[in-house]
Structure formats: C-alpha cells, structure tokens
Amino acid sequence: MRPTECDYAANVTLGIIEGKWKLLLLCHLRNGTKRFSEFAHLIPGITQKVLTYQLRELEAHGLIKREVYPVIPPKVEYSLTEYGESLVPLMDLMNLWGENHRERIKPTERIC
Amino acid sequence: MRPTECDYAANVTLGIIEGKWKLLLLCHLRNGTKRFSEFAHLIPGITQKVLTYQLRELEAHGLIKREVYPVIPPKVEYSLTEYGESLVPLMDLMNLWGENHRERIKPTERIC
DNA sequence: CTGGATCCCCGCGGATACTG
DNA sequence: CAGTATCCGCGGGGATCCAG
C-alpha cells in the first residue's frame, strides 16, 4: 500500500509475465503438454531462438516444466507446473479485461 | 481459448499495463488525485521525461484523467478514471501474486 | 511547476545459418 | 527435432538541458 520504490510487488509479477509470447505460451499449455515443434506450429510468428528463450525463462521462474526424452530424434515436452497454474486466475482476468478493452476501442474504428 | 495469433487478448492488457512505472503510478492514484510534483516526490527514481511519458500513455488509454489548471505556477492533477478503476482487481491480483512469489523465492536466498 | 527537446545506452526480439 | 550462434534494428528508459 506504500509503494515508494520500484520494487512494487505487482511489478514482480509483471517482470515474470512480460515477454511478447509468454502469456500465449502459458495459455497453450493450459490445454495440455506441448512439444517444442507444436509451439512453433501453433505460433507461426515466433522464431526458434525466441521460443527457446521465452520457454527457458518460464522454466527458470518455475512456471513450466521441461522434460527431455533421450531418444532420436530428440523429444522435449513442456507442461505447466502447479506453480504455473497459480497464474491461471491472473491470465483469465487479463484475457477478460483485454477483450473488454477491444470492444471498448472498436467503436472508434467505425468512422461512420 | 484459441490464441493462434499474437493478438491474444491478454496481450492487449499486457501492452497497456507494461511500462516500468505504470502499475506504480496507478497504485498511487488509488489513494486519490496526485499532482505531477507529487509523483516525482513519491517515486524518486523516475525522471521527469519518463514520468510525463508514462502518464501520457495511461491517459491515452483512458485509464487516468489529466486536469490542467490555468494558473501560475502551473498546476496539473492526475486522477483515476472509472475505466482505470476497472483495473483495480487486476492490480490487486498482480500485487498478491507478486508478494507470494517473493516469499517463495526468499528461502533460496538463505544459504544456511 | 510542469513539462519539452536531445542524446545515449542497453536489451528484447527478429533473421539467418548451423548442429547433434 | 530441438535447439545454438551470430548479427542487427528498434524502442524503452535514463541523463541532461531548456522553456513557458
């Protein structure tokens, strides 16, 4: 309630959430385990390097689990951890607010 | 539920929320109207340029209201709009999650 | 008092090529 | 298949100076 510094708690959350594709990745993982190539297919716009990077960060924060199967060809599965699921309410809220915001903006688009 | 693009609704929210000081500014405004100089005093780390910029963006998105009093010396007051208040639940949730995350991390700090 | 105008740095994210 | 390595551009944010 007295956020006199930039270490405001909500900013901690923001620091973990922010990243162009993180929320999208987390959202996809809510529907179940995903492989690296599945993400690349689901999200055509992302490059391999960035996909790797964002997944690594989510993993570093304990939100997702990375499981490597020592087979050929390689197989890696990503899944939401229990801790990652604690973000679900926040994701839902952000999703909801974002959709409302879109509809709020739309009327501006119609010029007529 | 089928976020095949980067225009995922939650990302819209993120785009409005993100910014190093925005959440903090919004939080301060929850306690009432603030003047420009008050922000500068409450948040020592922020520069005038950035403060101006972040306030302008929040205003552009309709979250805050900027009221200018034509007096000398200048007086400008910022306040939360009704739309801005619609973000309060999200802010609270982010704050809560952030605090929990801090405590979750702390044990790692104590090496003994 | 409330900014605007500049300059600068750094890191995120993108593009491309290569590898076990 | 699932990455790693390298280069690069852009923009957010900081520092500083100026202005009505």
Side-chain angles (χ1 to χ4, degrees):
Chain A
M1 276 297 183
R2 299 160 263 85
T4 54
E5 294 289 336
C6 65
D7 62 350
Y8 179 36
N11 261 3
V12 175
T13 308
L14 182 61
I16 289 175
I17 287 305
E18 81 184 344
K20 191 169 179 180
W21 313 94
K22 284 188 190 159
L23 287 172
L24 188 53
L25 292 173
L26 290 173
C27 179
H28 277 304
L29 284 178
R30 288 176 63 178
N31 299 330
T33 297
K34 294 279 178 301
R35 297 186 56 175
F36 186 88
S37 56
E38 289 186 88
F39 281 127
H41 182 253
L42 287 167
I43 314 171
I46 198 171
T47 64
Q48 290 179 331
K49 173 197 140 184
V50 175
L51 176 54
T52 302
Y53 184 64
Q54 307 259 339
L55 288 170
R56 289 293 197 283
E57 283 196 336
L58 291 173
E59 185 195 5
H61 288 131
L63 302 178
I64 68 176
K65 190 180 67 175
R66 178 171 178 265
E67 202 154 6
V68 183
Y69 297 85
V71 297
I72 293 177
K75 175 179 177 181
V76 180
E77 280 185 349
Y78 295 90
S79 58
L80 218 54
T81 62
E82 201 171 327
Y83 189 54
E85 290 187 25
S86 71
L87 269 179
V88 165
L90 182 60
M91 293 165 59
D92 284 340
L93 198 52
M94 290 184 69
N95 216 340
L96 199 60
W97 198 92
E99 287 183 7
N100 287 339
H101 184 72
R102 271 197 201 141
E103 291 175 8
R104 186 179 194 266
I105 296 302
K106 269 182 182 169
T108 312
E109 292 179 348
R110 347 182 184 121
I111 306 173
C112 49
Chain B
M1 276 298 181
R2 299 160 264 82
T4 54
E5 294 290 336
C6 66
D7 61 350
Y8 178 37
N11 262 2
V12 175
T13 307
L14 182 60
I16 290 175
I17 289 303
E18 79 184 344
K20 190 168 177 181
W21 313 94
K22 284 188 188 157
L23 288 172
L24 187 53
L25 291 173
L26 290 173
C27 178
H28 277 305
L29 284 176
R30 287 176 63 179
N31 298 329
T33 297
K34 293 279 178 301
R35 296 185 56 175
F36 186 87
S37 54
E38 289 186 89
F39 281 128
H41 182 253
L42 286 167
I43 314 173
I46 197 171
T47 64
Q48 291 179 333
K49 173 199 142 184
V50 174
L51 175 55
T52 302
Y53 184 64
Q54 306 258 338
L55 287 169
R56 288 290 196 284
E57 284 194 337
L58 291 173
E59 185 194 6
H61 288 131
L63 302 178
I64 68 175
K65 190 180 67 175
R66 178 173 178 264
E67 202 154 4
V68 183
Y69 296 86
V71 296
I72 292 178
K75 175 179 176 181
V76 180
E77 280 185 349
Y78 295 90
S79 56
L80 218 56
T81 63
E82 200 170 331
Y83 189 54
E85 292 187 25
S86 71
L87 270 179
V88 166
L90 182 60
M91 292 166 60
D92 284 339
L93 198 51
M94 290 186 69
N95 216 339
L96 198 60
W97 198 91
E99 287 184 7
N100 285 340
H101 184 72
R102 272 195 200 145
E103 291 176 7
R104 186 178 194 268
I105 296 301
K106 270 182 183 171
T108 311
E109 291 179 347
R110 348 181 183 122
I111 306 173
C112 51

